[in-house]
Amino acid sequence: MIAIEEIGRMSPDNIGLVTVLAGEDLGQYAQMKERLFEAVAFDKDDLTYSYFDLSEEDYATAEMDLESLPFLSDYKIVIFDNFQDLTTDKKSYLDEAALKRFEAYLANPVDTTRLIVLAPGKLDGKRRLVKLLKRDAKVLEANALKEADLRTYFQKQAHQAGLIFESGVFEELFIKSNFDFSDIQKNLAFLKAYKKDGHITSKDISEAIPKSLQDNIFDLTQMVLRGKIDAARDLVRDLRLQGEDDVKLIAIILGQFRMFLQVKILASHGKNESQIVADLSDYLGRKVNPYQVKFALRDSRTLSIAYLKTAIKTLIETDYAIKTGTYEKEYLFDIALLKIAHTKLA
């Protein structure tokens, strides 16, 4: 069972002495935080509950409430929000003395207090406090889900929302949402509002879900690669009207072509998809989304390594020319697209 589903089984009566909610997937974290508040029936006007934002309030004040007896009830729920000191975030709101006192509380928690600690970000496993919490508390982490867990969770969500997807369309939803938890959640809501009968087709995905900048840049790249220059110019004009800057557009396109080149080179050395993900993650120093690799392999199939190198060089030179003020950036950007298209067609 994934963490967000565990929260669904929690209530004011079964919550433990200490519960921690943390995680790097901030979209999922926000959903889990909202559901946790619902699960424990949080009410800011109810004296059974106390809420402290540690980024704004002094720990000494929160500590007094943590250790005091409940008022007209068997127990009370105390919430410490933005406890960044537990994460790898460089922000720190508690001094060493306060952290020592909190550690002492964890060693002997008050049995009439139910403490909820909210820490957006990655828990710092090297900290003694985090080790103690992982040993003695209920720790829920909003981290990127495995594909199978992501699909299973949202299949349940779609069923509860009364949505029925035609064959292959559920996959389109995931692709459209970049396999991002919060984007899938948001797009399911779009579909539910858009299609009252709940029957979702491929056309509904394209019509109901707004295009992201990444979607538009992907379309732009495909237009250029296919030599559809007029269509590419129209899309660029629309993006400029929406306030997008040419330098930002170049950076995103450059990122796409670099990914194409990286997977092509690794694939040419006999690497399979999972090996490419591992190698790129190691090279870039961050976990690469496996779906990025899957789609980059698919979309770069007809592109040669030599062509990709030329396209990347063109984009880098254009970026430099824009930033040094050689010519108007709109002109330079349009010329770059023409060069990339012409090289592909040559």
Side-chain angles (χ1 to χ4, degrees):
M1 181 184 297
I2 61 175
I4 195 169
E5 292 178 317
E6 288 187 63
I7 291 175
R9 298 191 175 189
M10 297 172 68
S11 71
D13 297 324
N14 67 17
I15 190 172
L17 290 178
V18 182
T19 301
V20 179
L21 173 60
E24 293 180 275
D25 186 337
L26 296 183
Q28 186 182 169
Y29 173 86
Q31 290 282 330
M32 291 172 66
K33 179 179 176 179
E34 181 180 334
R35 294 196 180 194
L36 182 56
F37 276 38
E38 292 173 355
V40 299
F42 173 71
D43 182 352
K44 62 182 178 62
D45 297 320
D46 188 333
L47 295 178
T48 305
Y49 303 87
S50 297
Y51 172 89
F52 298 93
D53 185 338
L54 296 183
S55 68
E56 299 177 353
E57 301 179 69
D58 183 63
Y59 177 74
T61 303
E63 184 181 33
M64 290 176 60
D65 206 272
L66 185 65
E67 298 180 343
S68 64
L69 295 174
F71 181 71
L72 298 177
S73 61
D74 295 332
Y75 60 85
K76 64 179 178 179
I77 294 177
V78 178
I79 299 172
F80 285 177
D81 201 354
N82 289 315
F83 207 131
Q84 299 304 111
D85 302 74
L86 301 176
T87 72
T88 55
D89 193 329
K90 293 182 180 179
K91 293 179 182 176
S92 180
Y93 300 123
L94 277 65
D95 58 26
E96 284 302 316
L99 289 171
K100 286 289 185 183
R101 296 201 304 274
F102 181 66
E103 184 178 322
Y105 175 84
L106 293 178
N108 188 29
V110 176
D111 59 7
T112 56
T113 296
R114 305 293 183 265
L115 173 62
I116 296 175
V117 177
L118 304 172
K122 181 180 180 180
L123 289 175
D124 187 349
K126 296 179 181 178
R127 297 192 69 109
R128 174 177 167 80
L129 266 176
V130 173
K131 291 176 181 178
L132 290 174
L133 287 167
K134 287 191 172 183
R135 186 190 70 187
D136 300 330
K138 176 70 172 177
V139 178
L140 302 162
E141 295 188 76
N143 294 324
L145 298 176
K146 295 178 181 178
E147 180 185 354
D149 291 333
L150 195 66
R151 290 181 185 280
T152 299
Y153 177 75
F154 280 109
Q155 282 170 347
K156 292 177 183 177
Q157 292 292 303
H159 178 73
Q160 291 172 7
L163 300 177
I164 301 172
F165 290 79
E166 287 189 354
S167 178
V169 176
F170 195 66
E171 178 72 15
E172 289 185 37
L173 169 66
F174 274 63
I175 294 172
K176 185 78 170 179
S177 307
N178 294 313
F179 292 84
D180 179 81
F181 185 96
S182 57
D183 284 347
I184 298 171
Q185 187 87 44
K186 176 180 65 180
N187 290 336
L188 273 178
F190 278 135
L191 291 170
K192 183 178 179 181
Y194 178 77
K195 206 65 179 293
K196 299 301 181 183
D197 66 3
H199 185 83
I200 308 300
T201 66
S202 181
K203 183 179 179 182
D204 296 326
I205 296 290
S206 61
E207 291 183 350
I209 299 177
K211 279 193 172 185
S212 66
L213 178 58
Q214 289 286 352
D215 290 332
N216 282 316
I217 295 299
F218 175 78
D219 290 344
L220 176 61
T221 303
Q222 294 303 307
M223 290 172 187
V224 171
L225 293 176
R226 294 169 185 168
K228 298 181 178 179
I229 299 303
D230 289 340
R233 283 174 172 163
D234 289 342
L235 180 51
V236 169
R237 183 176 63 251
D238 290 343
L239 291 173
R240 285 169 178 160
L241 289 173
Q242 293 170 25
E244 301 296 350
D245 184 72
D246 291 78
V247 172
K248 181 179 178 181
L249 299 181
I250 287 176
I252 298 174
I253 297 172
L254 186 56
Q256 284 191 352
F257 276 100
R258 277 180 173 151
M259 176 62 77
F260 289 166
L261 179 59
Q262 288 162 348
V263 300
K264 288 286 285 190
I265 291 174
L266 290 171
S268 71
H269 285 84
K271 303 280 184 153
N272 61 32
E273 194 173 304
S274 60
Q275 290 172 326
I276 292 174
V277 172
D279 285 354
L280 280 179
S281 297
D282 182 59
Y283 171 69
L284 298 174
R286 61 176 174 81
K287 184 173 176 56
V288 172
N289 189 326
Y291 304 106
Q292 280 185 292
V293 172
K294 177 186 289 187
F295 299 132
L297 284 168
R298 180 196 67 188
D299 298 329
S300 64
R301 192 173 296 118
T302 61
L303 306 176
S304 70
I305 289 177
Y307 168 73
L308 290 169
K309 287 181 177 179
T310 300
I312 288 172
K313 181 182 178 183
T314 298
L315 289 167
I316 292 173
E317 289 174 345
T318 302
D319 181 68
Y320 178 79
I322 289 175
K323 290 176 179 177
T324 54
T326 305
Y327 291 106
E328 288 293 326
K329 59 183 178 181
E330 290 85 358
Y331 169 77
L332 290 168
F333 182 74
D334 291 346
I335 290 298
L337 295 185
L338 285 170
K339 286 181 178 179
I340 294 171
H342 176 74
T343 305
K344 176 65 169 60
L345 297 173

